[in-house]
Amino acid sequence: MALQFPIYMDHAATTPCDGRVVEAMLPYFTQKYGNSGSRNHRFGWEAEEGVDQAREAAAKLIGATEKEIIFTSGSTESNNLAIKGACNLYEKAPAGSKSRGHIVSATHEHKAVLDPVKRMVKEGFDATFIEPGADGIITAEMVKAAMREDTILVTIMWANNEIGTINEVRQIGALCKERGVLFHTDATQWAGKMPVNVDTDNVDLLSWSSHKIYGPKGVGALYVRRHRPRVRLQALQDGGGQERGFRPGTLNIPGIVGFGKACEIAMAEMEADALRLGKLRKHLEDSILAQLDSCAVNGHREKRLPHISNISFGFVEGEGLMMAVKDIACSSGSACTSASLEPSYVLKALGVGDELAHSSLRISMGKQTTQEQIDFAIGNIVQAVKKLRLMSPLYDMHKEGIDLSKVEWAHH
Ligand SMILES: Cc1ncc(COP(=O)(O)O)c(C=O)c1O
């Protein structure tokens, strides 16, 4: 099939909705449009049935029970509910302490975790943000070293959204269990892509999102453990008591039905998808690294999700690189903040310098990604980097063997 441009390689940002998901959702807009809270008629019952089925599929995907699933608007909300909800209920201030309790997280978490934690700090809690090493992995040892007597919550993501690295979730969970501390994981990039069992993985609270797994946007879930321990949370909002009071408000029924279908499909297809994408990623990275010097794959090479590749290219300028690869819809190592381009704080947390962070690409593949598309991406990237380096005096100096770190630049 002829390639269509731009080629979508940004599946860590979002995924297209699967046709089977759309089909499952459609009746819930115009035919089965009841409110699942309506107990007295067929419309309500059939909406409730749709939600129940979705809840079953979501629970099954992560090895939970239906009652442990709270539907939300996505991972941002799930993270907020988990973090703020747990802090507000489990606060403990030891005698003489000014803090309401201590939270452990990491510097390269998603903003949807960092910001709720920072909010809790403003409201009287203490937090420790663990700094990862160059491999980007958070280990149980690191968490152990960060924990305190008054730690009430550990929130560490399962896999990182920019570099795909996988943290030691099961071991961190075991440590938390041993200490009686709640463990939340933002599994947005993991759940539906790789297997989860909340019991053997020792997780108390887990967030994930429909739009990362070929479901609709604006829907997700929070898993809340009900046994050993029974986790309680303070809701973020008050209202009609839906979702067992954790998340009041009329349910987004078509969205939830679509999310459930996406979970069901993920359960059946994740293994084959991961295997195929892992091979494509290896081909992509091997080919690029074989043809270009001075570039590096960011994060641990093995302990990574199979579909995400984050590569820094030395001696090219970030904006120029993005322009030169505009046929590939991928992410750069720059984040647009209010007025300027900031280097990715995730790459910076790994010790990647500002320049290199700017000239990094995150390529994230998905179900529709083909070998042909990857071959195009390889050719396009290699050609672009070579061309940009032709214009780089620094690259010439580097090729001549000059150690650029020792050069004394004249300042004007
Ligand atoms: C790791 C991680 N957490 C949270 C989010 C936010 O998810 P949502 O878009 O469902 O609110 C994302 C999405 O970018 C993510 O990658």
Side-chain angles (χ1 to χ4, degrees), residues 12-13 73-77 79 110 112 157 159 161 186 188-189 209 211-212:
S73 63
S75 282
T76 302
E77 185 186 342
N79 289 343
H110 193 275
M157 73 202 317
N161 46 298
D186 175 352
T188 310
Q189 296 290 343
S209 187
H211 75 100
K212 308 282 187 187

PDB file of all heavy atoms in Angstrom, residues 12-13 73-77 79 110 112 157 159 161 186 188-189 209 211-212, ligand 1:
ATOM      1  N   ALA A  12       2.353   7.084  21.914  1.00  0.00           N
ATOM      2  CA  ALA A  12       2.431   7.297  23.361  1.00  0.00           C
ATOM      3  C   ALA A  12       1.634   8.543  23.741  1.00  0.00           C
ATOM      4  O   ALA A  12       1.250   8.721  24.898  1.00  0.00           O
ATOM      5  CB  ALA A  12       3.881   7.430  23.809  1.00  0.00           C
ATOM      6  N   ALA A  13       1.386   9.415  22.753  1.00  0.00           N
ATOM      7  CA  ALA A  13       0.556  10.603  23.015  1.00  0.00           C
ATOM      8  C   ALA A  13      -0.912  10.202  22.992  1.00  0.00           C
ATOM      9  O   ALA A  13      -1.681  10.512  23.897  1.00  0.00           O
ATOM     10  CB  ALA A  13       0.825  11.681  21.978  1.00  0.00           C
ATOM     11  N   SER A  73     -12.468  10.378  33.956  1.00  0.00           N
ATOM     12  CA  SER A  73     -12.331  11.007  32.634  1.00  0.00           C
ATOM     13  C   SER A  73     -10.958  10.726  32.019  1.00  0.00           C
ATOM     14  O   SER A  73     -10.637  11.261  30.963  1.00  0.00           O
ATOM     15  CB  SER A  73     -12.535  12.515  32.754  1.00  0.00           C
ATOM     16  OG  SER A  73     -11.531  13.065  33.579  1.00  0.00           O
ATOM     17  N   GLY A  74     -10.138   9.923  32.674  1.00  0.00           N
ATOM     18  CA  GLY A  74      -8.815   9.608  32.126  1.00  0.00           C
ATOM     19  C   GLY A  74      -7.777   9.571  33.233  1.00  0.00           C
ATOM     20  O   GLY A  74      -8.103   9.722  34.420  1.00  0.00           O
ATOM     21  N   SER A  75      -6.538   9.399  32.835  1.00  0.00           N
ATOM     22  CA  SER A  75      -5.493   9.211  33.842  1.00  0.00           C
ATOM     23  C   SER A  75      -5.225  10.453  34.679  1.00  0.00           C
ATOM     24  O   SER A  75      -4.842  10.340  35.840  1.00  0.00           O
ATOM     25  CB  SER A  75      -4.203   8.759  33.174  1.00  0.00           C
ATOM     26  OG  SER A  75      -4.303   7.394  32.864  1.00  0.00           O
ATOM     27  N   THR A  76      -5.379  11.624  34.097  1.00  0.00           N
ATOM     28  CA  THR A  76      -5.155  12.834  34.893  1.00  0.00           C
ATOM     29  C   THR A  76      -6.086  12.829  36.098  1.00  0.00           C
ATOM     30  O   THR A  76      -5.660  13.031  37.244  1.00  0.00           O
ATOM     31  CB  THR A  76      -5.380  14.098  34.032  1.00  0.00           C
ATOM     32  OG1 THR A  76      -4.499  14.032  32.919  1.00  0.00           O
ATOM     33  CG2 THR A  76      -5.140  15.369  34.827  1.00  0.00           C
ATOM     34  N   GLU A  77      -7.348  12.564  35.847  1.00  0.00           N
ATOM     35  CA  GLU A  77      -8.301  12.535  36.956  1.00  0.00           C
ATOM     36  C   GLU A  77      -8.014  11.365  37.896  1.00  0.00           C
ATOM     37  O   GLU A  77      -8.070  11.516  39.121  1.00  0.00           O
ATOM     38  CB  GLU A  77      -9.737  12.448  36.428  1.00  0.00           C
ATOM     39  CG  GLU A  77     -10.733  12.550  37.561  1.00  0.00           C
ATOM     40  CD  GLU A  77     -12.186  12.332  37.141  1.00  0.00           C
ATOM     41  OE1 GLU A  77     -12.494  12.436  35.947  1.00  0.00           O
ATOM     42  OE2 GLU A  77     -12.994  12.029  38.036  1.00  0.00           O
ATOM     43  N   ASN A  79      -5.205   9.944  38.583  1.00  0.00           N
ATOM     44  CA  ASN A  79      -4.035  10.273  39.412  1.00  0.00           C
ATOM     45  C   ASN A  79      -4.407  11.273  40.503  1.00  0.00           C
ATOM     46  O   ASN A  79      -3.987  11.145  41.655  1.00  0.00           O
ATOM     47  CB  ASN A  79      -2.917  10.876  38.552  1.00  0.00           C
ATOM     48  CG  ASN A  79      -2.262   9.845  37.650  1.00  0.00           C
ATOM     49  OD1 ASN A  79      -2.399   8.644  37.847  1.00  0.00           O
ATOM     50  ND2 ASN A  79      -1.534  10.312  36.641  1.00  0.00           N
ATOM     51  N   HIS A 110       4.965  11.835  35.079  1.00  0.00           N
ATOM     52  CA  HIS A 110       4.133  12.722  34.248  1.00  0.00           C
ATOM     53  C   HIS A 110       3.620  13.884  35.113  1.00  0.00           C
ATOM     54  O   HIS A 110       3.457  13.735  36.323  1.00  0.00           O
ATOM     55  CB  HIS A 110       2.951  11.905  33.708  1.00  0.00           C
ATOM     56  CG  HIS A 110       2.188  12.570  32.611  1.00  0.00           C
ATOM     57  ND1 HIS A 110       1.170  13.471  32.851  1.00  0.00           N
ATOM     58  CD2 HIS A 110       2.297  12.462  31.269  1.00  0.00           C
ATOM     59  CE1 HIS A 110       0.676  13.885  31.696  1.00  0.00           C
ATOM     60  NE2 HIS A 110       1.343  13.296  30.710  1.00  0.00           N
ATOM     61  N   ALA A 112       0.801  14.879  35.428  1.00  0.00           N
ATOM     62  CA  ALA A 112      -0.475  14.507  36.054  1.00  0.00           C
ATOM     63  C   ALA A 112      -0.264  13.791  37.386  1.00  0.00           C
ATOM     64  O   ALA A 112      -1.222  13.507  38.097  1.00  0.00           O
ATOM     65  CB  ALA A 112      -1.310  13.641  35.112  1.00  0.00           C
ATOM     66  N   MET A 157       5.321   5.707  38.598  1.00  0.00           N
ATOM     67  CA  MET A 157       4.667   5.235  37.368  1.00  0.00           C
ATOM     68  C   MET A 157       5.190   3.861  36.955  1.00  0.00           C
ATOM     69  O   MET A 157       6.311   3.479  37.289  1.00  0.00           O
ATOM     70  CB  MET A 157       4.865   6.244  36.239  1.00  0.00           C
ATOM     71  CG  MET A 157       6.266   6.288  35.671  1.00  0.00           C
ATOM     72  SD  MET A 157       6.692   7.846  34.807  1.00  0.00           S
ATOM     73  CE  MET A 157       5.271   8.231  33.847  1.00  0.00           C
ATOM     74  N   ALA A 159       5.496   2.674  33.619  1.00  0.00           N
ATOM     75  CA  ALA A 159       6.453   2.876  32.523  1.00  0.00           C
ATOM     76  C   ALA A 159       6.404   4.333  32.107  1.00  0.00           C
ATOM     77  O   ALA A 159       5.332   4.946  32.103  1.00  0.00           O
ATOM     78  CB  ALA A 159       6.118   1.982  31.348  1.00  0.00           C
ATOM     79  N   ASN A 161       6.399   7.717  29.954  1.00  0.00           N
ATOM     80  CA  ASN A 161       5.773   8.078  28.678  1.00  0.00           C
ATOM     81  C   ASN A 161       6.751   8.623  27.651  1.00  0.00           C
ATOM     82  O   ASN A 161       6.491   8.569  26.459  1.00  0.00           O
ATOM     83  CB  ASN A 161       4.656   9.101  28.911  1.00  0.00           C
ATOM     84  CG  ASN A 161       5.072  10.218  29.826  1.00  0.00           C
ATOM     85  OD1 ASN A 161       5.411  10.001  30.994  1.00  0.00           O
ATOM     86  ND2 ASN A 161       5.077  11.425  29.298  1.00  0.00           N
ATOM     87  N   ASP A 186       0.908   5.068  38.200  1.00  0.00           N
ATOM     88  CA  ASP A 186       0.324   5.609  36.982  1.00  0.00           C
ATOM     89  C   ASP A 186       0.720   4.632  35.868  1.00  0.00           C
ATOM     90  O   ASP A 186       1.849   4.621  35.406  1.00  0.00           O
ATOM     91  CB  ASP A 186       0.902   7.014  36.741  1.00  0.00           C
ATOM     92  CG  ASP A 186       0.434   7.624  35.426  1.00  0.00           C
ATOM     93  OD1 ASP A 186      -0.213   6.920  34.629  1.00  0.00           O
ATOM     94  OD2 ASP A 186       0.726   8.812  35.196  1.00  0.00           O
ATOM     95  N   THR A 188      -0.581   4.416  32.846  1.00  0.00           N
ATOM     96  CA  THR A 188      -1.159   4.889  31.586  1.00  0.00           C
ATOM     97  C   THR A 188      -0.466   4.303  30.364  1.00  0.00           C
ATOM     98  O   THR A 188      -1.106   3.998  29.367  1.00  0.00           O
ATOM     99  CB  THR A 188      -1.064   6.432  31.532  1.00  0.00           C
ATOM    100  OG1 THR A 188      -1.582   6.954  32.751  1.00  0.00           O
ATOM    101  CG2 THR A 188      -1.829   6.997  30.360  1.00  0.00           C
ATOM    102  N   GLN A 189       0.851   4.179  30.426  1.00  0.00           N
ATOM    103  CA  GLN A 189       1.575   3.684  29.248  1.00  0.00           C
ATOM    104  C   GLN A 189       1.717   2.159  29.276  1.00  0.00           C
ATOM    105  O   GLN A 189       2.177   1.566  28.304  1.00  0.00           O
ATOM    106  CB  GLN A 189       2.967   4.329  29.161  1.00  0.00           C
ATOM    107  CG  GLN A 189       2.928   5.832  28.964  1.00  0.00           C
ATOM    108  CD  GLN A 189       2.432   6.249  27.582  1.00  0.00           C
ATOM    109  OE1 GLN A 189       2.394   5.454  26.646  1.00  0.00           O
ATOM    110  NE2 GLN A 189       2.037   7.507  27.441  1.00  0.00           N
ATOM    111  N   SER A 209      -5.797   4.790  31.097  1.00  0.00           N
ATOM    112  CA  SER A 209      -6.576   5.674  30.245  1.00  0.00           C
ATOM    113  C   SER A 209      -6.965   4.978  28.946  1.00  0.00           C
ATOM    114  O   SER A 209      -6.172   4.256  28.352  1.00  0.00           O
ATOM    115  CB  SER A 209      -5.708   6.902  29.934  1.00  0.00           C
ATOM    116  OG  SER A 209      -6.444   7.865  29.262  1.00  0.00           O
ATOM    117  N   HIS A 211      -7.666   6.286  25.915  1.00  0.00           N
ATOM    118  CA  HIS A 211      -7.173   6.747  24.611  1.00  0.00           C
ATOM    119  C   HIS A 211      -5.754   6.297  24.298  1.00  0.00           C
ATOM    120  O   HIS A 211      -5.269   6.504  23.182  1.00  0.00           O
ATOM    121  CB  HIS A 211      -7.332   8.264  24.461  1.00  0.00           C
ATOM    122  CG  HIS A 211      -6.356   9.100  25.230  1.00  0.00           C
ATOM    123  ND1 HIS A 211      -5.251   9.665  24.641  1.00  0.00           N
ATOM    124  CD2 HIS A 211      -6.335   9.487  26.522  1.00  0.00           C
ATOM    125  CE1 HIS A 211      -4.599  10.374  25.554  1.00  0.00           C
ATOM    126  NE2 HIS A 211      -5.240  10.276  26.704  1.00  0.00           N
ATOM    127  N   LYS A 212      -5.090   5.675  25.263  1.00  0.00           N
ATOM    128  CA  LYS A 212      -3.755   5.140  24.964  1.00  0.00           C
ATOM    129  C   LYS A 212      -3.861   3.704  24.467  1.00  0.00           C
ATOM    130  O   LYS A 212      -2.869   3.117  24.057  1.00  0.00           O
ATOM    131  CB  LYS A 212      -2.877   5.158  26.223  1.00  0.00           C
ATOM    132  CG  LYS A 212      -2.803   6.489  26.924  1.00  0.00           C
ATOM    133  CD  LYS A 212      -1.888   7.469  26.248  1.00  0.00           C
ATOM    134  CE  LYS A 212      -1.737   8.710  27.121  1.00  0.00           C
ATOM    135  NZ  LYS A 212      -1.014   9.771  26.478  1.00  0.00           N
TER     136      LYS A 212
HETATM  137  C1  LIG B   1       2.132   8.540  32.019  1.00  0.00           C
HETATM  138  C2  LIG B   1       0.912   9.366  31.758  1.00  0.00           C
HETATM  139  N1  LIG B   1       0.144   9.743  32.785  1.00  0.00           N
HETATM  140  C3  LIG B   1      -0.953  10.470  32.616  1.00  0.00           C
HETATM  141  C4  LIG B   1      -1.356  10.891  31.364  1.00  0.00           C
HETATM  142  C5  LIG B   1      -2.607  11.705  31.215  1.00  0.00           C
HETATM  143  O1  LIG B   1      -3.641  10.878  30.751  1.00  0.00           O
HETATM  144  P1  LIG B   1      -5.039  11.440  30.246  1.00  0.00           P
HETATM  145  O2  LIG B   1      -4.775  12.041  28.919  1.00  0.00           O
HETATM  146  O3  LIG B   1      -5.912  10.219  30.157  1.00  0.00           O
HETATM  147  O4  LIG B   1      -5.538  12.393  31.260  1.00  0.00           O
HETATM  148  C6  LIG B   1      -0.588  10.528  30.258  1.00  0.00           C
HETATM  149  C7  LIG B   1      -0.961  10.989  28.906  1.00  0.00           C
HETATM  150  O5  LIG B   1      -0.261  11.704  28.250  1.00  0.00           O
HETATM  151  C8  LIG B   1       0.578   9.743  30.461  1.00  0.00           C
HETATM  152  O6  LIG B   1       1.346   9.368  29.441  1.00  0.00           O
END
